[in-house]
Amino acid sequence: MKNHHHIFAVALFLGFLALVPMESGAYLDQIMGKKGPTGDVVVQVGTMPVPLPSRRQIIDADKGAACLQCHRMPYPTAPQKPAKPGEKALSSVKVTPPGGWRLLTPLTGFNAIAGGWSPDGKHIVYSINLFEKDWDIWVMDADGKNRAPLISGSAIKMAPDWSPDGRFIVFQSNRSGNFDIWIMEIATKKLTQLTNEPSEETMPKWSPDGKKIVLQSNRSGNEDIWTVEIGTGQWARLTNSPAKDENPVFSPNGQQIVFVSDRNGKKDIFVMNADGSDQRALTSEPGGNIAPHWSLDGKKIIFSRKGSDNNLHLWVMNADGSEQIRLTTHPTSQIGPYWSPDGKWVIFTSNIRGNWDVLLMQVDASMVDPSRSPLKRLTDSEAREVGAIWSPDGKKIAYNSDVNGHWSIWTMAPDGKNKRQLTGDDEDAGWPSWSPDGKKILYWGCREGNQDVWVMDADGSNKRRLTDHPALDGDAQWSPDGKRIVFVSERTGKGDIYVMDADGSNQKRVTFTDALDWTPYWSPDGKKIAYVSNQTGKWEIWTLDVETLEGKHLTPDSGGNFVPRWRRDGSQICYVGWRGGEYTIKGSFDIVVMNADGSGKRELSPSPFDERSSRWSPDGSRVVFWSWRTGSPQIYVINADGSGLRQLTDNLAYNVFPSWSPDGKRIAFDSDRMGNFDIWVIEVPE
C-alpha cells in the first residue's frame, strides 16, 4: 500500500501537486477579512457599521475600494505593503472566495476535489477526504446544496466522471488492492470492476458514445494512454512514449483526445486523434500545463498552468492551441477545471482556504473569447490592479498595482498595452489624479512612513513632494484650471481641507470646524468645493466658497451622505445617500441628485439595494454607478432624468469603481471575476 502522501498526489492528477505549494498566499487577509488593514470594521454584506463609518472608509468609497458594506477592499486607504504569498497560512475561517467564485464545499478541514457535471447540468460529482486514506465520492446540486455520499467505505474512490446518458459514474479505486477502474450504476448503486490488472489504472473518462473509457495505465511499465471497451473489455494502447502520458479526455465529438505529457521535458497539453495518431503539443510554456478539459462545442480547451507565483492558474485556448488566455489571477492554485454542459460555468479545485475545495466560476465571452465581447480585460497579473483613471485626452489610463509587493502607480494604453510603472520601489503610492492638461499626475506618496501629496510628470519623471508634514496629507485634486490643488490633512489632529497652488506654495486651511472634513471635489468653475463633513454629528454634504470661505449645508434633512460629484455644467450634484431613516441595518444607500444649492433632491433610481460610486458622464447626460440589485455589485448606467436604466455587467463578481472615458463611450472598472481584482473596460451602448 502506498503511503498517504503518494496517494494524495495520485488523486490530484497523478503528481501535479508537486507543482503546487501547499502554503497559500496570505495577503488575502487584507481584502477578504472582516477588518481592513487600518483596523476599521468592513462589515459583511447586509449589515452596517455602527457607529458611523470612519473617514478612511469614506475615502475608500471615493477611491475605488468596495466601500462601506463590502467586505473586500481592493486596496487600503493609505497604501501599505501587503503580506507576500507564503508569509502566513490562510485561515479557513477568515478566507472567503473572491466575488467571481462560489465555494461549493464549505466544510472546513477536509479536502474536496472536483469531478464532473451530470449531463443535464443539475448535479456535480466530486471526491472528499473525510478520513485519512479514505476518499469517498459525493454528489451535490450545481449550486452546492444537497451534498450527499454516493460511494463510501474504507478505501480511496476518486476521479469520478458521469456517463453521457447520466446513468453511471466511472471512477478509480484501490478497493481491490491497487488502483483500478470501477463503474457504478447510480440508481441501484451496483458496482462493476472494469479493470483488474496488477498495474494501476487511473483518471478514467467516458467516450461521448458511452462505449469506451479512456484512462492512463502503467501496465506496459510506463504511464501511457489506453482505452477499454466497456462491453468487451478490449484494451487499445494509444501512446507509447518513454515519457509520462496522463490525464486523457475525449473531445465532445469523440474524434480527438487531449492529454498531458512530459515528453518535451515538462508537462504540456497534447492532442491526438481517437486512435492515437497525429500526436502534437498544444502548449510549450516553461511553467508546466496540466488538467485539460474540452468545452461542450469542442472549440476551447481549459487547463491549469504554473504561474510566476509558483501556483497553478486556469487558462483557456482554442482547440488548436492558439489564443491562449489566462482566466484566473488569484494567488492560490486552481486545478482540474471542468466545463458545465451549457458552457457558462466552470468547476475547479483550489487551495484558497488552505485545504482543497471545489469552487464554481462563471465564464462568458469576455473571458474566453474577448474578440466577441464589448468587455475587455486590461490587466492580468497576480497582483491587485485597481482604480483606473483616464487621462484627459483618453490616450492613457493611470491605475494602482501591488505587483511588486507594494502599491505603485502605473499607466497603460486603453487597450491594456504599453504598461509602465511610474512610482518606484522606494515608496508606496496611490490615487493618481491627472492634471487638466494631462501633463502631470498628483498622487498620495508614502516615504519613510510619511504620507504626503506628490506630483510627477505624466511619464513618471520629476517627482516632487508638495506637502511635507508629519501628519497625513492626501486625497488631492486639481482645480479645473490646473492652477490650484485641494487636499485633506490631519495636521490639526483631524481631517481638514486645504488649498495650495499647483507648485505646493501658499498652503491654506479652508475648513475650521472640530469635525472631520473629507473627499473634496471642485465645482466646474473652480469657485467652490463640495465635501463631506460630520460637523453636525452626521455625515453630510457641504459646499465651500474658496475665496470667501462661506460654507453651505446641502443635506440637513438626512444623514449618511457621501461622495458628492458636480455635473459638468455645475447645475447639479450627485451623491450616495442613506435612505431608511436612522442609520441602522434597515435601509440602503441610493444615488441621489440635487441642485447645486441643495434643493430638488430626488433618488435617481430608487431601489431597496445599495448603490455606490456615482459618476456623471463627461457630457452630464448620464450617471454610472454600481449596485447590489442582482446579489453582487454590478455596473449600471442611467440617464440624468432617471430613465433608461441599463445593467452593463452581469456575473458573480465584484464589479466596482466605474470611471468614464473622456469621450463617454467607455467605462473602466475593477472586477474580481477571475479571482483577483483587475481592470476591465466596457463599451457603453448609446
Side-chain angles (χ1 to χ4, degrees):
M1 178 66 67
K2 302 173 180 61
N3 63 38
H4 176 64
H5 295 291
H6 178 68
I7 293 173
F8 188 58
V10 171
L12 287 175
F13 307 109
L14 295 174
F16 72 73
L17 276 185
L19 299 174
V20 185
M22 292 299 292
E23 187 175 16
S24 303
Y27 74 75
L28 293 172
D29 289 343
Q30 292 193 17
I31 62 173
M32 294 184 180
K34 293 188 178 180
K35 287 193 175 182
T38 63
D40 295 325
V41 176
V42 185
V43 296
Q44 295 279 3
V45 175
T47 63
M48 289 304 301
V50 178
L52 297 177
S54 73
R55 59 188 182 279
R56 295 188 183 278
Q57 286 174 297
I58 294 170
I59 294 177
D60 288 333
D62 186 37
K63 296 298 182 182
C67 91
L68 297 180
Q69 280 192 282
C70 300
H71 63 293
R72 294 172 180 85
M73 296 173 63
Y75 61 101
T77 299
Q80 299 175 9
K81 291 183 179 180
K84 294 180 179 179
E87 287 184 357
K88 181 180 178 183
L90 288 177
S91 164
S92 61
V93 176
K94 294 182 179 179
V95 177
T96 56
W101 298 356
R102 180 175 293 165
L103 180 66
L104 298 183
T105 52
L107 292 176
T108 59
F110 303 104
N111 291 295
I113 300 174
W117 296 77
S118 61
D120 60 9
K122 295 181 179 180
H123 303 284
I124 294 170
V125 65
Y126 63 104
S127 304
I128 186 168
N129 179 209
L130 297 176
F131 305 100
E132 186 177 3
K133 298 183 180 181
D134 178 14
W135 285 79
D136 295 332
I137 294 176
W138 285 48
V139 66
M140 59 182 161
D141 295 345
D143 60 3
K145 297 178 180 179
N146 299 319
R147 295 180 294 274
L150 274 182
I151 310 169
S152 58
S154 57
I156 294 175
K157 292 80 61 183
M158 303 193 72
D161 188 47
W162 231 295
S163 65
D165 61 8
R167 297 172 54 205
F168 301 92
I169 286 177
V170 65
F171 62 97
Q172 68 186 54
S173 178
N174 66 348
R175 60 191 300 130
S176 61
N178 58 294
F179 278 104
D180 282 299
I181 306 303
W182 293 71
I183 294 176
M184 184 191 76
E185 186 176 22
I186 298 174
T188 65
K189 300 292 182 72
K190 178 184 177 182
L191 291 175
T192 302
Q193 187 172 358
L194 182 62
T195 66
N196 189 9
E197 306 288 332
S199 56
E200 290 195 334
E201 284 71 51
T202 54
M203 302 309 298
K205 288 289 188 295
W206 294 88
S207 63
D209 61 7
K211 296 180 179 180
K212 294 181 181 180
I213 299 294
V214 65
L215 52 88
Q216 60 192 66
S217 173
N218 61 2
R219 62 182 294 166
S220 62
N222 190 57
E223 208 74 39
D224 285 301
I225 308 300
W226 297 70
T227 59
V228 179
E229 294 274 358
I230 295 176
T232 65
Q234 182 178 353
W235 288 72
R237 185 176 184 178
L238 303 185
T239 66
N240 187 3
S241 168
K244 286 186 177 181
D245 298 332
E246 53 195 17
N247 243 152
V249 183
F250 272 104
S251 63
N253 62 10
Q255 297 179 8
Q256 291 182 304
I257 294 173
V258 67
F259 64 101
V260 175
S261 178
D262 64 359
R263 61 186 67 180
N264 291 335
K266 57 180 176 54
K267 291 183 183 294
D268 275 308
I269 309 297
F270 281 71
V271 71
M272 61 182 167
N273 293 333
D275 61 1
S277 63
D278 193 20
Q279 299 179 19
R280 61 192 186 279
L282 299 181
T283 63
S284 59
E285 285 65 28
N289 305 273
I290 60 169
H293 190 263
W294 299 86
S295 61
L296 187 64
D297 60 9
K299 295 180 179 180
K300 303 281 184 180
I301 295 173
I302 191 171
F303 61 100
S304 295
R305 171 176 292 169
K306 187 178 181 181
S308 60
D309 62 349
N310 208 38
N311 285 309
L312 286 159
H313 302 283
L314 301 186
W315 286 67
V316 68
M317 62 183 169
N318 291 334
D320 62 2
S322 63
E323 295 187 24
Q324 297 182 17
I325 299 171
R326 183 173 180 170
L327 287 184
T328 62
T329 56
H330 198 278
T332 52
S333 282
Q334 302 91 51
I335 53 181
Y338 199 110
W339 238 305
S340 65
D342 62 7
K344 296 180 180 180
W345 306 88
V346 168
I347 54 171
F348 59 94
T349 303
S350 176
N351 61 350
I352 186 172
R353 299 194 302 163
N355 56 292
W356 294 97
D357 285 302
V358 180
L359 288 97
L360 179 75
M361 178 174 69
Q362 187 176 5
V363 294
D364 57 29
S366 69
M367 301 166 71
V368 301
D369 196 358
S371 63
R372 297 172 51 195
S373 172
L375 181 60
K376 311 294 181 185
R377 184 183 185 187
L378 302 186
T379 62
D380 64 353
S381 75
E382 292 94 0
R384 291 171 291 176
E385 290 161 328
V386 295
I389 299 294
W390 299 79
S391 63
D393 61 7
K395 294 182 178 180
K396 289 184 179 180
I397 292 175
Y399 63 100
N400 305 272
S401 174
D402 67 347
V403 67
N404 293 323
H406 64 95
W407 288 108
S408 56
I409 296 173
W410 290 62
T411 58
M412 61 182 166
D415 60 1
K417 297 179 180 179
N418 302 322
K419 293 181 176 66
R420 180 175 183 176
Q421 184 176 354
L422 301 188
T423 57
D425 294 337
D426 59 341
E427 62 182 325
D428 282 303
W431 302 359
S433 175
W434 294 90
S435 61
D437 61 8
K439 295 181 179 180
K440 298 182 184 299
I441 295 175
L442 278 175
Y443 64 98
W444 191 352
C446 180
R447 295 192 184 190
E448 300 177 352
N450 196 33
Q451 300 167 4
D452 288 296
V453 178
W454 289 70
V455 68
M456 61 183 166
D457 291 349
D459 62 1
S461 63
N462 298 322
K463 295 180 179 67
R464 301 185 306 283
R465 175 182 272 157
L466 298 183
T467 67
D468 189 3
H469 195 279
L472 179 151
D473 295 330
D475 200 11
Q477 298 224 355
W478 299 91
S479 63
D481 60 7
K483 295 180 179 181
R484 291 181 294 180
I485 295 168
V486 65
F487 67 100
V488 173
S489 178
E490 291 185 344
R491 58 188 68 179
T492 64
K494 54 184 177 58
D496 289 301
I497 295 175
Y498 288 70
V499 172
M500 62 182 168
D501 292 342
D503 62 1
S505 63
N506 298 321
Q507 296 183 17
K508 182 176 66 173
R509 180 182 173 188
V510 294
T511 61
F512 297 90
T513 69
D514 293 329
L516 301 174
D517 303 324
W518 290 86
T519 62
Y521 195 77
W522 291 93
S523 63
D525 60 9
K527 295 180 179 181
K528 293 183 179 181
I529 293 170
Y531 64 100
V532 174
S533 176
N534 69 342
Q535 57 189 278
T536 66
K538 298 180 179 179
W539 289 107
E540 297 174 285
I541 294 173
W542 294 66
T543 57
L544 176 76
D545 187 297
V546 179
E547 299 304 324
T548 67
L549 302 188
E550 179 183 357
K552 184 174 179 60
H553 189 186
L554 300 188
T555 57
D557 50 339
S558 63
N561 301 295
F562 306 98
V563 196
R565 286 290 182 265
W566 298 83
R567 194 172 181 175
R568 185 174 184 178
D569 61 6
S571 63
Q572 292 180 304
I573 294 174
C574 71
Y575 61 97
V576 175
W578 177 252
R579 294 297 171 263
E582 294 296 324
Y583 192 77
T584 65
I585 193 171
K586 297 179 180 179
S588 65
F589 279 100
D590 290 306
I591 308 304
V592 183
V593 173
M594 64 181 169
N595 295 329
D597 62 1
S599 64
K601 295 180 181 69
R602 58 185 173 87
E603 295 176 33
L604 197 57
S605 179
S607 80
F609 305 100
D610 286 313
E611 334 273 29
R612 298 284 191 275
S613 297
S614 55
R615 298 288 188 273
W616 293 101
S617 63
D619 64 1
S621 65
R622 291 188 284 183
V623 174
V624 66
F625 61 97
W626 57 266
S627 172
W628 283 93
R629 294 169 187 242
T630 63
S632 60
Q634 304 298 328
I635 307 296
Y636 289 77
V637 292
I638 191 170
N639 294 332
D641 63 2
S643 66
L645 179 67
R646 180 172 292 193
Q647 184 176 347
L648 298 185
T649 62
D650 185 14
N651 49 46
L652 296 177
Y654 279 59
N655 303 284
V656 294
F657 191 46
S659 172
W660 290 94
S661 63
D663 61 7
K665 295 181 179 180
R666 290 168 292 177
I667 290 172
F669 63 96
D670 304 341
S671 178
D672 68 343
R673 67 188 60 202
M674 294 185 176
N676 210 26
F677 274 98
D678 289 301
I679 294 171
W680 294 70
V681 65
I682 190 169
E683 299 171 9
V684 184
E686 296 292 338

